[in-house]
Amino acid sequence: MSGVVSGAVSAPLLSVEGVAVELPTPRGRLRAVDKVDLALAPGRTLGIVGESGCGKTMLSRAILQLLPKRARLEGRVMFGGRDLATLDPESLRRLRGPELAVVFQDPMTSLNPVLTIGTQIIETLQAHLGMDATTAFKRGTELLAAVGIPAPGQRMRQYPHQLSGGMRQRVAIAIALSCEPKLLVADEPTTALDVTVQAQILDLLAREQQRRHMAMILITHDLGVVAGRTDEVAVMYAGRIVERAPTPALFARMRMPYTEALLAAIPKLDSAPHTALPAIPGRPPDPTRPLPGCSFAPRCRYADELCGRAKPALEDPDDAGAPYACWHPISGARTSWSASSP
Amino acid sequence: MAVLEIEGDTALVSPVRKRHRLGGLFLAAVAWIVLIGLAAILAGVLPIQSPTDLDMLARREPPSAAHWLGTDQLGRDMLSRLIYGARISLTVGLLAPVIGVSIGACLGMLAGYFRGRLEAFIVGGVDVLLAFPPLVFALAVTAYLGQTVLNITLVIGILGIPAFTRVARAVTLSLSQREFVVAARALGATDSRILVRELLPNVALPLVAFFLLGVAVTIVVEGALSFLGLGVPPPAPSWGSMIGEGRESLDIAPWLAFLPALFMFLSVLSFNIVGDTLRALTDPRPGAL
Amino acid sequence: MAKFVGQRLAYLLPVLLAVSLLTFLIASLLPGDLAYTILGDQATPEKLAALRAQMGLDLPIWQRYGLWLWDVLHGDLGRSFRTGETVVNAVLDRLPVSLELMVLAELIGLAIGIPLAILCAVKSGSATDRFLTGLAFGNLSLPSFLVAILLIFLFAVQLNWLPATGWVPFGEDPLVNLRSFVLPALTLAFAEWPALMRVLRSDMIATLQEDYIAMARAKGLRPARILLVHALKPSSLTLVTVTGINIGRLIGGAVIVESIFALPGIGRLLVGAIQARDFIILQGVVLFVATGFVLVNFIVDMLYAVLDPRIRHGRA
Ligand SMILES: Nc1ncnc2c1ncn2[C@@H]1O[C@H](COP(=O)(O)OP(=O)(O)OP(=O)(O)O)[C@@H](O)[C@H]1O
Ligand code: SF4
Ligand SMILES: [Mg+2]
C-alpha cells in the first residue's frame, strides 16, 4: 500500500484511514462505505466519482462527522493531525467553518427556508470570526458579490425561495467559503441544477479553490466533471474505492472495467438536455447483501469464475501511483466499452 | 432478484421489539375494556346492591364486607354505582361514535370520490360544525333539547361527524387514484360498486381506529356534562356526576371523587391505547405513533 | 399575501353566516316555546299570545332569523329575561376573566410543552423520550375536571397552599387575582402541553433530519442556535396551527374550570344560563363563543402566513 497522497511533497491535510460506515435498516445492516483510505494535501483537489447509491455522500458525511445519528463509523479521519471521529463536539464545532466546509447536493433543501440569506451568512461569520452585526453584514454582501450574485445587498434580505436554484447554490458556496476553510467538500454541487448553470458553478468552485489555495473534494457521478478540475480521482463502487489515480493518468490509462463503463456513460455535450443518461447496464448489488467476490462481477464483461469467488484488493502492482481493485485490469490505452468482448 | 425475497430473518429488528413492549399495555387496555364492558352488561344479574338505595345511617363509609368500595354521601353502594355508571358511559360512549362514523364515513367517501361541488359543500358544512367548541355546542343543544341519555348521545354523535368525515375523505382521496380503483373503473364498475366493494373495506380500518379514539372522547364529554350537573339527570349514576358530587367532600372522603375518576381515567386511557395502536398500524408513515 | 388574506376572508364570511344560522336553529330546538319558558307558572293563554306577538315568535322561522340577525349585526343580542342585563354587557363583563385564564393556561402549556418537545426530539428514541411521550399520552386521557379535582385535593385541601376559589378583580388586588388563577390555569395547561409537545416533537424530529440542519451543523453553529433558530422556527409553523385548533378545546376546558373554581368568566355565564334556563343569554353566549372561535382561527391562519415567508410572498 503506497497510500498515495496527491501532491506527494507536503504532508496530508486530510487522511482517511480504513473508514467504514454502517447504517441499520429494516433489511439489516447496510455497509454504505467499506474500508476506504484516502489522503489529500493542502490546496489540492480530489474527485470522487461513482454511480448513485455507491456511498459517496456517506463517505463525505463520515469525513465531516455529519452521519445520521444511528450510523456506525469505523476507522480514522485525520484532519490537521487530529482524529475527527474522536474529537469532542466543541472542538469539532470550532473546526467547522474556518477549517472544514461543505456544499451540499441540493440547494433547495440545504438553506433554511424561514431565515433570510443574510442571516444564514452572518451567523457563520459571527460564530467564528466574532464580527459585529454591521461588519458581518458588509462582509456577507461582499461574499455574495464574490460568488457572482447580482444586487447582493438586496439578496441579503431575501429568503431562499425567492432565488433560483443556481443562485441558491452560489449562496451556499458563499456561506461555505465565508470563514476561509482549508478543506471544502462539495457533494454533487451541480446535480440538482439546470445543465446551463452547472458549468458556471463548477468553474466558480474551481476559481475560488485556486484563489484561496484551499483543498477540495469534488464528488460527482460524472467522470466528465472531474476531468479538468481535479488533481486526483478516486472511483467508488458499492462502498469501496476501486481505482485511484492522478487525473491525467486515469484518463490516459484506466485499469478498472467499472471506470471504463463510467466513462462510456458520460453524457455527451451535444445530447439534448434532460435525456436519460446512458447508464451502465445492470444494477449495483444490494448493499445489505455483500457479494463474496468482486461487487462489479454481475455487470462486468470481463468477469470470470475468480471474480465471483474472491474480492480483489485495492493494489498498485506496477507502483504507478495508481492502485486499482481488479483481477483482470484493462491493459493498454483506453478501450471502448462497447468494443470489448468477454 | 432472489436477494430481495429472503427478508424474513433480519427484517424489522427494532420495530418488532417495540411492538412487544406495546403489546403488554395493549392487552391490559383490552382487558380493562372487556372487564368494564362485561360488568356493565351483567350489572342486572351481578350480586351487587342497588345503585339507588339510600342508607342515611351509612353515609361515606369506608369499604366493608357489605359495601366493598364503601358508600357515597347518601349511603348508596359505591361499587354498584360505579358499575351502573359504566353502563351509561359505555352506552353513550359507543353509540355516539356509531352515529358519527356512519354519517361521517358516507359524507367523507362521497366527498373524496366525487369531488367537485359536492365535496366543497360537505367540507364547508363540516367546517361550520367545527366552528363550535364541542363542549359548548353539546351544552347548548342539550339545554334546549332536554338532558336525556338519548339527547346527549345524539349531540355528541353529531359532534363527531367532522372528524370521521375528514378521515374518510382523506383516505378515499388517496385511494381513488390507485390502480385497483382505476382498474375497476376501466372495467366498467359502477360508482356505487366501487365505493362499496373497493373503497369501503380500505376506509374501514382507519375509521375503526378513529372510532375507538372517538369512544374515549365521548366518555370525556359525557363525563364533563354530568360533572357540571348538565348531563344524565340524577339519581341515575354516571361517573361524571359521581365525581361532581364527590368533589363536595374532597376533604373528608376523597375516594368518593377519586374512585369514579380512576374508573373514567382507566377507560379513557384504554380506548386511547387501543385506538392509537390501531391507528399506528394503519398509518402508512413509518413511526407514526 | 394579499391574495391569501382575500381567499381566507372570502371563506370567513359564509362560515360566520352559517354559524349564526346554526346557533339560531339550535335555539329553536326548544320544545314548547320561549314565551312559555319565560312566563312559567304565570302563563295564561292571553299573556302567552301577547308575549309571542311582542317577541315576534308567531312569525315564520326564516323571518325570525332575519330579524334576529339584523339585531345581532347592530350589536343587539337581546337581554336576559331574568336579570334584564343585556347579553353584550354580560359577555363583555366576563370576557377578561376567560381571556386571562386561557392566556395564562396557554403560556404555561407552551412553557412546559416546547422544552419537553425539544428534549424529546433531540433524544428521540431514548428512555427520556419514551417516558415523556408516554406521560403526554397518559395525560391526554385525563379530562380537565379530573385534573382539577387532583390539583384541588393536593394544593388546596392537603397542602393548603393555594385557594380553590376566591377570585377578585385584577384591578382590586393583582396578587390575589393571580393566586386565584394558578390552579385553574394549571388545570387547563395540563390538557395543553401534551398536545403541543406531541406535535412539536414529531415536527422537530422531521426537521432535524433536514439538509439545512446538517448545513447549520457544518457551519459550526452552536447547538443552542441550531435547535432554537434553525430547527424550532420552521417547526413552530405547525405549532401555531395546533394552538389554533386547540382553542376549541381550551374554551370547553375553560367552561368546566371556571365552574369548578368559581371564576366569573364566559363559561360560568354559560353554565349559569343553562341552570337558570335563561335562553336568551345562552343563545347570545353560544353565538359569541362560536364567532370568536372562528375569528381566532382566522387570525391563526394569518399568523401562519406571517411566520412562513413562502406563504407571505404569495406562493401558497
Ligand atoms: N439515512 C440513511 N439510512 C439508511 N440508508 C441510507 C441512508 N442514506 C443513504 N443510505 C443508503 O446508503 C447507501 C449509500 O448512499 P449515499 O447517499 O452515500 O450514495 P451516493 O453515492 O451519495 O448516491 P447519490 O449519487 O444518489 O447521492 C445507499 O445504498 C443508500 O440507500
Ligand atoms: S475483478 Fe473481475 S468482475 Fe471485478 S471488475 Fe475486474 S474483471 Fe470485472
Ligand atoms: Mg449523494
Side-chain angles (χ1 to χ4, degrees):
Chain A
M1 282 295 307
S2 56
V4 178
V5 173
S6 57
V9 249
S10 40
L13 171 70
L14 171 79
S15 92
V16 171
E17 298 165 12
V19 160
V21 175
E22 279 195 354
L23 295 157
T25 70
R27 311 195 351 92
R29 296 194 153 285
L30 184 154
R31 208 163 164 89
V33 178
D34 191 12
K35 295 259 177 291
V36 164
D37 295 291
L38 284 173
L40 184 62
R44 309 286 289 182
T45 44
L46 166 70
I48 299 181
V49 190
E51 276 173 297
S52 185
C54 71
K56 304 181 299 288
T57 296
M58 284 302 143
L59 174 59
S60 71
R61 298 230 167 181
I63 293 171
L64 296 159
Q65 301 300 313
L66 286 176
L67 286 170
K69 212 154 81 181
R70 299 182 311 147
R72 218 185 66 205
L73 172 68
E74 284 167 28
R76 300 202 301 171
V77 179
M78 302 303 293
F79 181 82
R82 291 194 277 181
D83 183 5
L84 298 184
T86 55
L87 204 58
D88 64 286
E90 178 58 19
S91 312
L92 190 60
R93 185 184 75 73
R94 286 174 195 278
L95 284 184
R96 288 172 172 161
E99 306 266 328
L100 262 174
V102 57
V103 175
F104 287 111
Q105 181 164 344
D106 188 354
M108 299 296 164
T109 58
S110 63
L111 295 175
N112 196 314
V114 300
L115 300 178
T116 59
I117 305 294
T119 306
Q120 299 189 54
I121 298 187
I122 290 171
E123 63 182 358
T124 321
L125 295 167
Q126 287 184 321
H128 297 290
L129 309 180
M131 288 185 184
D132 62 82
T134 335
T135 324
F137 189 90
K138 218 175 123 250
R139 180 84 191 101
T141 318
E142 289 165 13
L143 278 163
L144 288 187
V147 295
I149 290 180
Q154 195 183 328
R155 295 297 186 192
M156 290 286 277
R157 291 184 189 83
Q158 291 186 323
Y159 289 90
H161 72 266
Q162 292 168 292
L163 274 62
S164 69
M167 282 298 151
R168 286 192 223 186
Q169 198 62 303
R170 284 175 196 268
V171 170
I173 291 171
I175 292 174
L177 298 177
S178 63
C179 301
E180 307 283 336
K182 297 207 173 77
L183 170 66
L184 176 70
V185 178
D187 183 1
E188 306 203 40
T190 59
T191 309
L193 300 180
D194 238 35
V195 219
T196 45
V197 293
Q198 288 190 357
Q200 295 171 13
I201 296 288
L202 288 169
D203 291 342
L204 168 69
L205 277 173
R207 196 184 72 216
E208 294 298 319
Q209 182 265 328
Q210 301 238 311
R211 209 161 63 90
R212 294 162 196 264
H213 196 66
M214 164 182 83
M216 181 162 86
I217 296 180
L218 180 61
I219 296 174
T220 170
H221 57 248
D222 183 353
L223 257 183
V225 164
V226 296
R229 298 184 176 91
T230 55
D231 299 314
E232 200 191 12
V233 177
V235 179
M236 234 181 137
Y237 185 71
R240 299 165 72 107
I241 304 279
V242 291
E243 178 161 19
R244 202 174 60 202
T247 312
L250 184 85
F251 282 97
R253 183 167 186 251
M254 51 187 56
R255 310 302 306 270
M256 181 56 198
Y258 176 64
T259 314
E260 190 193 41
L262 265 186
L263 190 66
I266 294 182
K268 299 287 170 295
L269 268 181
D270 51 5
S271 66
H274 303 302
T275 47
L277 294 179
I280 306 173
R283 282 198 301 150
D286 177 353
T288 60
R289 304 278 184 276
L291 301 179
C294 173
S295 353
F296 192 52
R299 306 164 75 187
C300 180
R301 295 213 158 196
Y302 310 97
D304 65 4
E305 176 267 346
L306 174 65
C307 304
R309 182 159 46 85
K311 206 176 271 298
L314 182 67
E315 276 167 354
D316 189 9
D318 332 326
D319 266 331
Y324 55 85
C326 178
W327 295 125
H328 312 295
I330 309 160
S331 46
R334 197 207 297 175
T335 6
S336 153
W337 170 248
S338 49
S340 57
S341 58
Chain B
M1 291 305 105
V3 190
L4 293 172
E5 259 103 70
I6 17 173
E7 278 186 13
D9 47 348
T10 47
L12 300 165
V13 181
S14 52
V16 166
R17 231 183 52 224
K18 202 167 178 180
R19 203 172 298 158
H20 269 299
R21 269 195 41 246
L22 243 162
L25 214 57
F26 181 78
L27 289 182
V30 172
W32 173 260
I33 292 172
V34 169
L35 179 74
I36 223 62
L38 280 180
I41 294 169
L42 300 175
V45 295
L46 286 178
I48 50 173
Q49 311 195 2
S50 151
T52 47
D53 275 0
L54 308 184
D55 182 355
M56 295 311 264
L57 295 178
R59 294 161 52 186
R60 300 195 183 105
E61 292 218 326
S64 64
H67 303 285
W68 289 2
L69 291 179
T71 59
D72 74 356
Q73 63 282 357
L74 295 177
R76 296 172 293 197
D77 184 59
M78 280 296 280
L79 177 64
S80 159
R81 286 181 71 74
L82 285 169
I83 289 177
Y84 277 90
R87 260 193 174 177
I88 296 196
S89 287
L90 290 183
T91 311
V92 179
L94 290 170
L95 285 184
V98 166
I99 299 174
V101 81
S102 344
I103 301 179
C106 291
L107 292 178
M109 286 179 67
L110 292 176
Y113 186 74
F114 290 110
R115 316 289 315 265
R117 280 221 195 133
L118 182 70
E119 182 181 33
F121 183 76
I122 290 175
V123 170
V126 159
D127 273 1
V128 173
L129 209 49
L130 282 175
F132 291 85
L135 190 71
V136 172
F137 185 87
L139 278 172
V141 176
T142 48
Y144 285 112
L145 268 183
Q147 289 139 7
T148 65
V149 174
L150 179 67
N151 286 347
I152 291 173
T153 310
L154 283 175
V155 170
I156 303 181
I158 291 171
L159 277 174
I161 293 175
F164 289 110
T165 307
R166 290 192 158 183
V167 175
R169 172 171 163 267
V171 179
T172 309
L173 271 179
S174 69
L175 284 177
S176 47
Q177 306 305 323
R178 293 266 288 277
E179 311 79 40
F180 64 94
V181 177
V182 176
R185 205 176 291 152
L187 290 174
T190 60
D191 286 337
S192 56
R193 192 188 157 84
I194 292 176
L195 277 169
V196 175
R197 286 289 195 80
E198 309 290 343
L199 290 173
L200 188 59
N202 290 290
V203 176
L205 209 56
L207 282 182
V208 168
F210 253 75
F211 175 83
L212 292 166
L213 297 176
V215 175
V217 174
T218 310
I219 294 178
V220 171
V221 175
E222 183 275 319
L225 290 178
S226 301
F227 175 83
L228 291 173
L230 303 173
V232 183
S238 139
W239 291 341
S241 53
M242 290 172 76
I243 300 170
E245 289 157 11
R247 163 166 74 112
E248 313 299 336
S249 47
L250 268 185
D251 45 350
I252 45 174
W255 66 88
L256 291 191
F258 284 148
L259 273 177
L262 184 68
F263 271 56
M264 180 179 283
F265 171 64
L266 288 180
S267 307
V268 172
L269 184 64
S270 297
F271 278 107
N272 272 337
I273 287 174
V274 178
D276 207 63
T277 310
L278 286 188
R279 191 185 55 74
L281 288 181
T282 56
D283 196 330
R285 287 173 304 155
L289 245 169
Chain C
M1 182 77 184
K3 186 167 153 238
F4 180 76
V5 176
Q7 273 173 357
R8 299 268 92 195
L9 264 178
Y11 196 64
L12 180 68
L13 293 178
V15 168
L16 282 179
L17 196 67
V19 163
S20 76
L21 181 64
L22 194 55
T23 308
F24 182 79
L25 288 178
I26 292 175
S28 67
L29 286 175
L30 187 66
D33 71 26
L34 200 51
Y36 197 82
T37 312
I38 294 176
L39 289 173
D41 297 341
Q42 304 159 25
T44 61
E46 303 79 55
K47 276 192 179 168
L48 275 174
L51 190 58
R52 283 199 185 113
Q54 183 202 330
M55 296 180 69
L57 289 178
D58 39 9
L59 297 172
I61 188 163
W62 56 267
Q63 220 170 334
R64 276 184 10 234
Y65 172 65
L67 288 174
W68 175 76
L69 189 61
W70 184 254
D71 284 345
V72 167
L73 290 177
H74 289 79
D76 177 9
L77 283 120
R79 52 175 73 228
S80 161
F81 51 77
R82 296 195 177 261
T83 62
E85 192 181 15
T86 65
V87 172
V88 175
N89 276 348
V91 165
L92 290 184
D93 240 26
R94 273 107 174 147
L95 187 59
V97 176
S98 294
L99 286 183
E100 186 177 354
L101 173 63
M102 290 194 280
V103 168
L104 285 174
E106 195 63 38
L107 288 180
I108 299 175
L110 288 169
I112 303 175
I114 293 180
L116 290 188
I118 296 177
L119 181 68
C120 285
V122 171
K123 298 186 170 266
S124 74
S126 70
T128 317
D129 175 36
R130 286 206 304 271
F131 172 74
L132 287 172
T133 327
L135 191 69
F137 186 82
N139 222 319
L140 280 177
S141 302
L142 207 53
S144 54
F145 53 98
L146 296 192
V147 177
I149 300 259
L150 279 173
L151 290 182
I152 292 179
F153 181 70
L154 215 66
F155 291 104
V157 175
Q158 291 288 319
L159 299 170
N160 218 348
W161 286 354
L162 290 160
T165 55
W167 175 88
V168 300
F170 187 82
E172 206 167 280
D173 189 339
L175 264 175
V176 177
N177 171 282
L178 282 178
R179 250 172 80 85
S180 71
F181 268 110
V182 174
L183 285 184
L186 269 181
T187 304
L188 276 188
F190 251 84
E192 282 303 291
W193 77 261
L196 298 172
M197 186 197 103
R198 275 163 64 109
V199 173
L200 184 58
R201 171 186 171 274
S202 62
D203 234 47
M204 278 281 272
I205 289 178
T207 305
L208 286 177
Q209 283 161 10
E210 294 281 352
D211 271 1
Y212 56 80
I213 298 297
M215 174 87 165
R217 289 214 285 147
K219 290 184 340 187
L221 301 182
R222 285 175 206 287
R225 184 167 174 93
I226 297 177
L227 281 178
L228 298 181
V229 178
H230 282 260
L232 186 59
K233 198 174 175 205
S235 305
S236 54
L237 294 179
T238 28
L239 192 66
V240 169
T241 331
V242 179
T243 311
I245 294 170
N246 270 358
I247 287 174
R249 210 182 47 199
L250 202 59
I251 293 175
V255 171
I256 294 172
V257 166
E258 285 173 13
S259 300
I260 297 178
F261 294 96
L263 292 175
I266 305 271
R268 259 301 270 315
L269 181 66
L270 178 85
V271 172
I274 294 175
Q275 281 163 343
R277 306 186 63 71
D278 194 338
F279 291 112
I280 304 278
I281 293 272
L282 176 57
Q283 187 183 29
V285 171
V286 171
L287 181 68
F288 178 84
V289 170
T291 309
F293 185 39
V294 172
L295 290 177
V296 167
N297 273 318
F298 174 78
I299 293 170
V300 167
D301 267 0
M302 296 293 110
L303 201 61
Y304 194 94
V306 169
L307 275 178
D308 190 342
R310 284 162 296 188
I311 300 182
R312 199 185 326 150
H313 295 116
R315 298 208 326 183

